[in-house]
Amino acid sequence: MSNEKLIQTIQAFGDAWNRHDIDALMSFMHEDCVFETVAGPEVYGSRHEGVAAVRKAFEAAWQTIPDAQWLNASCWAAGDHGVMESTFTGTAADGSLIEANMVDLLEFRDGKIILKNAFRKNRPHLPAKV
């Protein structure tokens, strides 16, 4: 797949995140996909392996932060790797606001995402809007 096509795929993947469209998201994922989260007990955060586990983890993002958005995305690709930089925003359960830059490192196999490795700045939440 050309770098241009990979960039278009990454952009469409980001758009699906912002629509909270789990079926569209999973259509980009390889059957052997892995998702490494921004937080967790291990050096890589938490690892979810396989379509069912990745789907459940993706859905949990919207359950935890129902207004989650990934804004101002900048995407690029080379070979079988891609990057999406964005600003993550949302409202935590206590009403505080989350706004932090993040990066998804993506690895592709057969035109599908085999690995989504997410990183986000560890910034304190902002006060709730009054």
Side-chain angles (χ1 to χ4, degrees), residues 90-92 94-99 123-130:
T91 306
D94 66 0
S96 62
L97 303 177
I98 305 164
E99 183 180 52
R123 181 182 186 198
H125 292 187
L126 305 170
K129 291 183 180 178
V130 287

Side-chain angles (χ1 to χ4, degrees), residues 4 22 45 48 50 57 63 68 74 76 78 83 91 105 115 123 129:
E4 182 178 317
I22 191 63
H48 304 274
Q63 292 165 355
S74 177
W76 64 93
V83 176
T91 306
L105 302 179
L115 173 64
R123 181 182 186 198
K129 291 183 180 178

Side-chain angles (χ1 to χ4, degrees), residues 74-106:
S74 177
C75 306
W76 64 93
D80 289 332
H81 293 83
V83 176
M84 180 170 58
E85 287 186 275
S86 62
T87 301
F88 177 79
T89 65
T91 306
D94 66 0
S96 62
L97 303 177
I98 305 164
E99 183 180 52
N101 288 342
M102 72 173 293
V103 173
D104 282 316
L105 302 179
L106 305 168

Side-chain angles (χ1 to χ4, degrees), residues 56-70:
K56 184 176 179 182
F58 285 178
E59 289 174 323
W62 301 314
Q63 292 165 355
T64 305
I65 305 170
D67 62 346
Q69 292 289 289
W70 293 260

